[in-house]
Amino acid sequence: MFEAIKLLVGVVSLIMVYRTITGNCNKYLAFAICAIWLRYFLSAFHTITYPPLVAGFSINALGSIGVAGLGLLLIPTAVFTLKKLFPFYILFTAIAVSGFVNMQIPGTINVLVKWCYFLVLAGALFLSIRSQGQNETFKKLLVAFTMPVVLQVLSVVLGQAKATEADGSASYIGGYNHEAAFSMIIVSFIFVMGLIERNTIRFRVSLFTLAVFLLVLVNYRTAILTILPIAAVFYFTLVEQRLKPSQKAPILTVVTTLFIMVFFALSLSMQERFADVGLMLSNLDLIVKAPMYFSDAEQDIMSARVYIWSQYINAFLNADMVQQFF
C-alpha cells in the first residue's frame, strides 16, 4: 500500500516541479530542481533502483551519471575554472591517483561520479543565485523536497516506521531505504529553509520547526547533532531581529537559558540513543585498537562506527608508504 502512496506523491510532486520550472525560473535552477527531485524519486523506490541493472550499475547510479553528464554540458566552462574550485580538483586528482595505486577502478569511478554530481549542482545553484538572487533560488528549490517530506509525514500518520536499533527505537523515513541517507535529505531541507530570509515565504518559522521535528523522528544521531547549531542560530537570530537595542541583553539571556534547558531536556529524553557517545569518549583507545581484538559488544558501539574507524586506521598503519601518501 505504501508503495502506491509513494507513486502518487511522486506524481503530484512532479507536477509541482513542472509548474515551478516553467514559471519564472532560469535554466540552471530548473536543472538543479529536476536533478534533486529525480534523486529523491529514484531513492524512494530503492527495491527497484538500487540493485545492479546494466554493467554493474543500478538505475540510481545511471541516473546520477546522466545528471552529472548533462550538468557538464549545460554549465559554462568558465564556472569550472573558478579559483575557489581548485581545492576540489586537488581532491579529484587524489581520488583518481589513489584508485589507480590501489587498483580499485570501479570504486574510484563511483566516487568521482558522486563528486562530479556535487560539482554540477553547486555550479548550477551558483549561477542561479547570481541570476535571480539567493531568496528566489532557495524558495523555488524547496519544491524538490516535497516528496520526501510528505512521505515522512505520511509514514508518521500511518505508523510506517523502520526498527533500527537494539534499544527498540524506530525511524520514520517515509519508506526510504536507510535513515542515514534520508536524514541528509531533511538536513538539506532545514539548511535551505535557514538560508531563506525573513518575509520571503509564508510560514517559514513553522516549516523550519516542522523540519527539525521530522529530523528527530528520523532518529539518526549524527544528523541530530549536526543540526543543533544551525537550529540554535536560526531561532536566536529570529528573536534578536525583533528586539530593540535596549531589550536585547535581558531577553537574549532568557532565550539562551531556554535553549540550554531544551537541549538538556532532549538529552535526557534521548539519553539511551546517545549513551554510546559517552562510552566512546571514555574509551578513546578503541579507535586505535586493532579490529581483530574487538569484542562483539565493542563492535556495536555507535552503530559499529568505532569498529569501522579502527579498520581504516589499522589498514593505514599497515600500508606501505605509497598507499599511506595517497
Side-chain angles (χ1 to χ4, degrees):
M1 175 183 174
F2 203 75
E3 292 299 308
I5 293 175
K6 285 184 187 178
L7 185 59
L8 177 61
V9 174
V11 172
V12 173
S13 66
L14 177 59
I15 294 172
M16 294 175 65
V17 165
Y18 175 76
R19 293 183 62 181
T20 300
I21 64 176
T22 53
N24 182 25
C25 184
N26 63 79
K27 63 179 181 180
Y28 304 112
L29 180 56
F31 166 75
I33 291 172
C34 291
I36 295 172
W37 176 88
L38 178 64
R39 181 72 174 191
Y40 295 163
F41 179 83
L42 293 178
S43 297
F45 301 95
H46 51 88
T47 55
I48 300 172
T49 59
Y50 280 18
L53 181 67
V54 178
F57 293 104
S58 64
I59 295 176
N60 211 37
L62 292 172
S64 298
I65 293 171
V67 168
L70 181 61
L72 291 174
L73 294 174
L74 176 69
I75 298 172
T77 306
V79 173
F80 299 118
T81 61
L82 292 172
K83 293 180 180 179
K84 289 187 177 181
L85 292 178
F86 182 70
F88 292 104
Y89 296 137
I90 295 177
L91 177 62
F92 296 162
T93 304
I95 292 170
V97 174
S98 176
F100 177 78
V101 169
N102 293 285
M103 295 306 295
Q104 298 291 327
I105 307 304
T108 303
I109 294 173
N110 182 41
V111 174
L112 288 174
V113 168
K114 287 180 180 179
W115 278 103
C116 184
Y117 190 93
F118 160 78
L119 187 64
V120 296
L121 286 180
L125 290 175
F126 167 76
L127 290 170
S128 176
I129 291 171
R130 290 192 64 179
S131 172
Q132 290 187 267
Q134 176 177 315
N135 289 330
E136 190 67 18
T137 293
F138 289 126
K139 182 177 72 172
K140 291 183 180 298
L141 190 65
L142 287 175
V143 73
F145 294 89
T146 302
M147 183 176 182
V149 171
V150 170
L151 285 177
Q152 188 188 7
V153 172
L154 290 175
S155 72
V156 174
V157 173
L158 299 175
Q160 188 78 15
K162 176 185 177 184
T164 57
E165 297 292 335
D167 60 9
S169 61
S171 297
Y172 292 91
I173 55 175
Y176 281 73
N177 183 52
H178 196 275
E179 59 275 13
F182 186 80
S183 69
M184 290 299 100
I185 296 177
I186 304 301
V187 166
S188 300
F189 179 62
I190 292 172
F191 191 65
V192 172
M193 285 295 305
L195 288 172
I196 298 174
E197 295 177 354
R198 288 176 58 192
N199 303 321
T200 301
I201 59 172
R202 297 176 64 186
F203 310 115
R204 171 174 170 263
V205 178
S206 299
L207 286 172
F208 186 92
T209 303
L210 172 65
V212 172
F213 179 67
L214 291 177
L215 184 64
V216 174
L217 293 179
V218 175
N219 196 24
Y220 195 67
R221 289 170 296 196
T222 308
I224 294 172
L225 291 171
T226 298
I227 214 64
L228 283 178
I230 297 176
V233 169
F234 178 87
Y235 291 116
F236 192 88
T237 304
L238 183 69
V239 174
E240 191 269 343
Q241 289 175 338
R242 298 173 182 270
L243 298 176
K244 298 177 181 178
S246 60
Q247 299 174 324
K248 287 186 178 181
I251 294 182
L252 290 180
T253 301
V254 173
V255 171
T256 303
T257 304
L258 288 174
F259 280 151
I260 295 173
M261 291 173 63
V262 170
F263 174 76
F264 279 111
L266 287 173
S267 300
L268 290 173
S269 64
M270 304 182 70
Q271 58 183 341
E272 289 186 5
R273 295 286 290 115
F274 287 93
D276 282 355
V277 177
L279 183 59
M280 184 202 70
L281 293 175
S282 61
N283 295 274
L284 290 175
D285 58 309
L286 287 175
I287 297 176
V288 294
K289 184 177 180 178
M292 66 184 72
Y293 297 118
F294 272 65
S295 66
D296 290 341
E298 289 173 337
Q299 290 182 21
D300 291 335
I301 295 176
M302 290 190 69
S303 303
R305 281 184 180 81
V306 178
Y307 180 60
I308 294 171
W309 294 340
S310 73
Q311 290 176 318
Y312 276 111
I313 294 171
N314 186 71
F316 175 80
L317 294 175
N318 290 288
D320 58 44
M321 186 177 296
V322 173
Q323 287 180 313
Q324 286 183 342
F325 185 78
F326 288 104

